[in-house]
Amino acid sequence: MKKFIIFITALTLASCNKEESEEFNRQSMLTNYYANVIAVNVEDYESSLNILKSSTGAFTSSPSTSTLATLRADFITAYKSYQGIKMINFGPTADNFYCNHANIYPTDTSVINGNISSGTYTLGAASNTDAIGFPAIDYLIYNGSDTEIIDAFTSDANAANRITYLNEIVDKLQSEFIPVKQDWATYQQTFISATGTDVGGSTGIMFNAYIMDIELLKNAKIGIPSGQQTGGMLLPDYVEGYYGDLSFELAIASVNELKFLFNGAEGLGLDDYIKHVEGESITESLADRINAQFDLISTDLSSYSNSLSEAVVSNTSDVNATYFETKKLVTNIKTDAASLLGILITYTDSDGD
Amino acid sequence: MTGINELKESPLFKWTGSHNSSSLAFYRICFGFLMFFSITRFASYGWINELYIVPEFHFSYYGFEWLPYPSSFWIYTLFVLAFIGALGIMLGLFYRFSAIIFFLCFTYIELLDKTYYLNHYYFVSLIALILIFLPANSAYSLDKRFGFIKGSSTVPRWTISILIFQITVVYFYAGLAKINYDWVIEAQPLRIWLNGASDWPLVGNLFTQDWVAYFFSWFGLVYDLFIVFFLIVSRTRPIAFSLVFSFHFLTWLLFPIGVFPWVMMVGSLIFLNPETHQKILERILGRSMDNSRQEVSKLKNIPKVLISIFIIIQLTFPFRFLLYESDLFWKESAYRFGWRVMLMEKAGYANFYIEENDASFEIPNTRHLTTFQEKQMSMQPDMILQYAHYLGEIYSDTTMEIHGHKFNFAAPEVHVEVYVTLNGRTSQLFVDRSVNLMEVPYDLSERDWVEDYKE
């Protein structure tokens, strides 16, 4: 027993010896994550939705090429900003089910048109999950020439209903985010203080949501349209932002957001955590390899001169190569990083085998 | 008596003679209580449903594929029976029947899905099996109080010996398994895992330091190898017990290992003096419980052959891995049932494809597996193969409708691409996509279809 007391005393004394004190700790990392990633993304997204809402109002009250152009620009900004929300699909974002119906694509155009012509629908109904959100807006403001679209909102028999529908789906995106934002403000303390690596630890919760989103980048954004999961059968209309040809732009935005989160903006992030665990003896940090992979994918996605729905048909092998790079990224994050950070993907007992 | 002599004369090495029956009763009560607690805990977390009812596919153990998978009603029934069995063991009521029920139900549950394999579950099954044959109800039991049995103040010594032997095997083999490069030289995986505790007050930043990882690794190794001997020798027993409790308590705080530390702490109580066992029981349950007679258990003459076989199996079974040339930690042939506890931080990423006539479908793992199953499967070759065969089976003679297009599969090939990371090293190719897993038999042979580990 005496020896045990000595041992504990030694431990305690050694811990007070701050000579080797490290700047990294999970508390600071989480504090940084809240302040500089989550709060920033939530704020940005909220304001992009407010702008989208007002430019939707401007367009629908006086449809013109200029109001349409403004609406589209604001739509793209909000859609890109959304990429930074769906990667934090945990805590209040998940509890409010915000991401469950904001971006289901491909959108169901016949349901949208049916809703518009009948004028009676419940947007929150399960049958309408693929008739609302960003993909539905994409369809309404991009499908056809500018003149056709403006006509659809002015001279068309269903113009009035269409105006209502567009305003309502934008409003839904915007109004449903208000409680998400409020809840994040109250969840802040919980998030920052759950510093453990146990079941309720914020690092693990955030990381698991992060893995899900990286897998979405690989599967939903690139894999499905390029036929990776469908026997090589190409599905060019299954891309995100199909009508506005926004797929690559959105994918790049998503990669940028994922990289932004990985590095904890400019502050303490998963990259620092990885380097901290690796110690100084390591020659090439996993964090650096992951960042290089983000850059590689980003450059890769920027290199296409056409849209993704065209590219899956005409540059199939290029898209396959891009897909392969995203798979490498998932491997790096889901195995190497998760392992190094001791993140529990599940939370039942284990004895490490 | 010197330590060596005491060891020689201890129940671990000397199996003949008799022993105070309080020791066995004490152990029986503790074990029963712990199992009672453990099952309650398991159920209260909702794990019965989550682990045994929700999953669509179950990773059976090699050789036990024939075990029928129970319906949800029978799953709950198994747990209830195991629970009742644990209570029966604790109270010493219908003891032998309770022990049999507990052993059968608990082991049945464990055999349903190897995703949840844990060394301490194996240990529990073994102890339960042993308890069936021991007269652990001969003192401080309801069986005795109600007059179902006569009871006895002594029990044959081998009944204590075999329990001590089993605990010795667990510790000693766990220690042997730690003698490997990663554990001793790299202090892995503890170096990684200890980081998890870096947010502890006061001592937190210690866990991020190399010397602490080495200290824990080496201490753990020496502890596992020798603790039993220090528990046996009376002079070192107090310090050994304080080590057992502080060590396991610390591991309980540090790692998500459930009831394992408690199983080991309670398990080590068998090393207390028989007189101590008796005193504790008398204080709690009163002397009245034990109006003993000198009655010798009928099981005194259990066939020596049976015991010998058990001992030989226990001593040799963990060494099955020697029959394989492949890297034990990488391909994991004969890894389980070898007391290899907390030796690896391993994770994998597996993408499965079913292919036929140039058509190749990626089947997302979450479509058929739970997150837990996916995690375990992605790094363990036998589970990868089992799952591949399952995919081949369910997608044969089927028409798949995906995104409005129909595909017919007669007998698809199943391929997988897996990357695995071990103890913090960069992940590397584990299974190459070129292999058709439908052609790889699921058996005990060398896992040549898994890539070799490259330094």
Side-chain angles (χ1 to χ4, degrees):
Chain A
M1 196 59 205
K2 239 183 242 163
K3 277 182 194 164
F4 178 64
I5 293 168
I6 293 169
F7 164 66
I8 289 295
T9 317
L11 283 183
T12 317
L13 286 176
S15 74
C16 299
N17 173 7
K18 292 274 179 187
E19 267 176 12
E20 293 183 59
S21 76
E22 308 268 2
E23 52 186 56
F24 182 87
N25 68 65
R26 279 196 297 271
Q27 173 100 56
S28 322
M29 179 181 81
L30 291 172
T31 308
N32 174 56
Y33 266 116
Y34 186 83
N36 296 318
V37 178
I38 295 169
V40 168
N41 281 12
V42 165
E43 195 74 41
D44 282 358
Y45 181 60
E46 190 208 25
S47 69
S48 78
L49 285 175
N50 290 339
I51 294 169
L52 175 64
K53 192 179 168 182
S54 75
S55 56
T56 306
F59 168 72
T60 50
S61 56
S62 64
S64 71
T65 43
S66 107
T67 50
L68 180 60
T70 312
L71 170 59
R72 283 174 173 171
D74 294 342
F75 170 71
I76 294 173
T77 309
Y79 210 168
K80 283 178 169 175
S81 179
Y82 175 73
Q83 308 296 325
I85 294 299
K86 72 187 184 66
M87 74 177 174
I88 51 166
N89 190 15
F90 62 93
T93 318
D95 293 344
N96 286 287
F97 304 104
Y98 187 78
C99 298
N100 292 25
H101 44 248
N103 191 24
I104 306 294
Y105 56 90
T107 195
D108 195 328
T109 55
S110 61
V111 174
I112 294 175
N113 290 323
N115 285 344
I116 288 172
S117 60
S118 74
T120 49
Y121 45 79
T122 311
L123 288 182
S127 55
N128 281 326
T129 45
D130 52 1
I132 57 173
F134 287 103
I137 305 172
D138 174 46
Y139 169 68
L140 290 174
I141 68 173
Y142 279 106
N143 186 37
S145 67
D146 288 8
T147 326
E148 283 166 344
I149 291 164
I150 291 167
D151 284 352
F153 283 89
T154 48
S155 54
D156 186 83
N158 290 322
N161 282 357
R162 187 167 284 111
I163 284 171
T164 311
Y165 197 78
L166 179 61
N167 275 303
E168 282 183 2
I169 58 176
V170 170
D171 195 57
K172 188 171 159 64
L173 271 182
Q174 187 263 346
S175 61
E176 288 184 353
F177 194 69
I178 294 169
V180 177
K181 193 190 173 206
Q182 285 166 350
D183 292 353
W184 266 111
T186 33
Y187 187 69
Q188 173 181 9
Q189 207 44 50
T190 316
F191 178 79
I192 292 172
S193 56
T195 56
T197 51
D198 53 344
V199 187
S202 295
T203 315
I205 292 175
M206 179 177 77
F207 193 81
N208 283 333
Y210 186 69
I211 289 180
M212 298 265 280
D213 199 45
I214 290 202
E215 289 204 89
L216 276 180
L217 169 73
K218 165 188 161 264
N219 295 334
K221 281 192 167 54
I222 305 169
I224 290 173
S226 64
Q228 298 294 339
Q229 285 159 357
T230 48
M233 181 183 63
L234 306 174
L235 296 166
D237 51 341
Y238 278 63
V239 298
E240 186 180 33
Y242 173 69
Y243 297 96
D245 285 340
L246 305 170
S247 321
F248 282 127
E249 217 176 329
L250 293 172
I252 292 166
S254 177
V255 172
N256 289 341
E257 289 292 350
L258 290 165
K259 189 183 172 192
F260 179 70
L261 189 150
F262 180 72
N263 293 295
E266 304 280 301
L268 283 181
L270 293 171
D271 60 331
D272 302 289
Y273 193 1
I274 288 172
K275 287 182 176 171
H276 171 70
V277 176
E278 283 173 334
E280 276 151 24
S281 57
I282 213 86
T283 43
E284 192 202 12
S285 170
L286 172 65
D288 296 338
R289 281 193 288 123
I290 289 175
N291 271 322
Q293 191 64 16
F294 274 125
D295 293 342
L296 192 154
I297 293 170
S298 203
T299 314
D300 206 5
L301 289 168
S302 320
S303 69
Y304 292 88
S305 53
N306 47 7
S307 71
L308 178 58
S309 47
E310 287 162 7
V312 295
V313 181
S314 60
N315 312 34
T316 312
S317 61
D318 292 340
V319 178
N320 287 348
T322 305
Y323 176 77
F324 180 73
E325 296 300 337
T326 60
K327 198 157 72 177
K328 266 169 52 180
L329 180 67
V330 178
T331 309
N332 283 333
I333 302 279
K334 200 173 177 177
T335 66
D336 301 30
S339 201
L340 215 53
L341 302 183
I343 301 280
L344 293 175
I345 291 178
T346 51
Y347 46 84
T348 36
D349 303 342
S350 70
D351 60 6
D353 50 12
Chain B
M1 200 162 21
T2 66
I4 297 292
N5 279 334
E6 202 177 343
L7 264 180
K8 271 191 212 158
E9 294 300 315
S10 75
L12 180 59
F13 294 106
K14 195 166 169 237
W15 289 46
T16 53
S18 63
H19 194 96
N20 188 330
S21 62
S22 302
S23 295
L24 210 47
F26 185 88
Y27 198 76
R28 185 203 81 224
I29 293 168
C30 289
F31 180 79
F33 174 75
L34 191 61
M35 291 304 108
F36 160 83
F37 169 77
S38 185
I39 293 170
T40 310
R41 169 180 178 271
F42 198 92
S44 73
Y45 288 161
W47 288 350
I48 300 179
N49 181 56
E50 193 182 324
L51 306 186
Y52 288 104
I53 293 170
V54 168
E56 143 195 347
F57 176 68
H58 313 283
F59 291 91
S60 57
Y61 282 90
Y62 184 82
F64 289 94
E65 297 84 353
W66 52 270
L67 272 186
Y69 199 90
S71 64
S72 57
F73 170 78
W74 285 106
I75 295 274
Y76 281 111
T77 307
L78 281 171
F79 273 94
V80 169
L81 288 175
F83 179 83
I84 293 171
L87 267 183
I89 291 173
M90 182 175 85
L91 302 173
L93 181 63
F94 308 122
Y95 167 72
R96 183 135 304 137
F97 179 73
S98 295
I100 292 172
I101 288 292
F102 178 80
F103 167 72
L104 290 178
C105 294
F106 187 89
T107 309
Y108 197 117
I109 293 165
E110 291 320 310
L111 287 174
L112 291 177
D113 196 331
K114 65 177 148 196
T115 306
Y116 319 123
Y117 171 81
L118 290 180
N119 284 293
H120 72 264
Y121 289 154
Y122 174 42
F123 176 71
V124 166
S125 275
L126 289 172
I127 293 292
L129 174 67
I130 293 169
L131 282 179
I132 293 174
F133 298 94
L134 306 188
N137 57 344
S138 56
Y140 295 100
S141 72
L142 291 181
D143 280 344
K144 192 178 147 221
R145 167 163 276 196
F146 296 154
F148 301 150
I149 57 155
K150 283 178 180 164
S152 147
S153 62
T154 60
V155 289
R157 201 168 193 217
W158 68 264
T159 61
I160 304 298
S161 302
I162 195 158
L163 290 170
I164 289 184
F165 165 76
Q166 189 58 62
I167 292 162
T168 308
V169 165
V170 174
Y171 273 119
F172 192 72
Y173 278 75
L176 283 183
K178 288 182 172 64
I179 306 177
N180 68 70
Y181 179 85
D182 278 10
W183 187 274
V184 177
I185 310 292
E186 300 282 348
Q188 289 284 33
L190 285 187
R191 194 198 291 257
I192 292 175
W193 289 342
L194 287 174
N195 265 285
S198 59
D199 63 322
W200 282 20
L202 282 174
V203 291
N205 73 329
L206 268 181
F207 292 117
T208 65
Q209 293 179 23
D210 277 357
W211 70 266
V212 177
Y214 279 105
F215 175 79
F216 273 82
S217 297
W218 292 2
F219 177 81
L221 192 159
V222 175
Y223 170 87
D224 278 349
L225 283 177
F226 301 112
I227 188 67
V228 165
F229 307 110
F230 287 101
L231 282 166
I232 289 174
V233 177
S234 50
R235 202 152 39 89
T236 54
R237 194 175 299 139
I239 181 86
F241 262 114
S242 60
L243 278 177
V244 167
F245 282 90
S246 44
F247 178 80
H248 286 299
F249 189 71
L250 198 58
T251 62
W252 179 68
L253 289 176
L254 281 170
F255 311 118
I257 50 182
V259 295
F260 177 70
W262 302 99
V263 171
M264 295 316 285
M265 280 191 249
V266 167
S268 63
L269 295 177
I270 193 78
F271 292 100
L272 287 172
N273 268 329
E275 295 74 32
T276 312
H277 287 138
Q278 192 171 348
K279 263 185 219 154
I280 295 173
L281 288 175
E282 275 173 9
R283 180 158 302 175
I284 297 171
L285 300 171
R287 201 179 285 266
S288 62
M289 278 291 285
D290 189 35
N291 48 349
S292 310
R293 269 172 288 185
Q294 287 285 349
E295 192 82 33
V296 179
S297 161
K298 284 174 189 160
L299 275 163
K300 184 187 180 187
N301 298 320
I302 189 157
K304 281 185 183 153
V305 185
L306 269 186
I307 297 179
S308 310
I309 291 173
F310 182 82
I311 290 174
I312 290 167
I313 289 176
Q314 280 304 308
L315 291 178
T316 54
F317 208 55
F319 285 115
R320 289 163 2 257
F321 73 93
L322 294 175
L323 301 171
Y324 296 89
E325 283 175 15
S326 56
D327 188 299
L328 178 62
F329 286 11
W330 190 245
K331 298 195 182 181
E332 297 196 40
S333 287
Y335 188 87
R336 293 188 198 92
F337 305 108
W339 311 118
R340 279 173 268 277
V341 187
M342 307 208 65
L343 287 181
M344 295 193 294
E345 169 54 49
K346 203 176 177 191
Y349 182 49
N351 284 287
F352 280 85
Y353 305 88
I354 58 169
E355 299 182 351
E356 194 164 62
N357 303 328
D358 302 331
S360 166
F361 282 78
E362 184 179 327
I363 309 289
N365 295 329
T366 46
R367 188 177 296 169
H368 300 291
L369 300 177
T370 63
T371 315
F372 196 168
Q373 288 178 315
E374 183 197 9
K375 177 184 190 268
Q376 294 292 333
M377 177 277 294
S378 300
M379 58 176 175
Q380 300 185 51
D382 56 339
M383 294 176 77
I384 290 171
L385 194 56
Q386 277 178 295
Y387 180 56
H389 288 181
Y390 172 70
L391 289 180
E393 191 183 304
I394 59 170
Y395 286 107
S396 66
D397 295 321
T398 51
T399 301
M400 264 167 75
E401 190 171 333
I402 293 176
H403 304 299
H405 299 261
K406 286 182 176 169
F407 290 85
N408 295 310
F409 284 100
E413 295 186 353
V414 179
H415 296 257
V416 68
E417 185 176 65
V418 191
Y419 281 84
V420 167
T421 168
L422 176 61
N423 286 346
R425 295 185 186 84
T426 305
S427 59
Q428 55 176 271
L429 188 65
F430 194 64
V431 184
D432 189 81
R433 196 176 157 173
S434 62
V435 184
N436 174 14
L437 295 177
M438 294 310 284
E439 286 174 359
V440 178
Y442 174 67
D443 57 23
L444 297 179
S445 60
E446 286 281 359
R447 292 163 178 168
D448 295 326
W449 51 280
V450 178
E451 298 290 311
D452 285 327
Y453 181 73
K454 292 165 198 76
E455 285 297 332

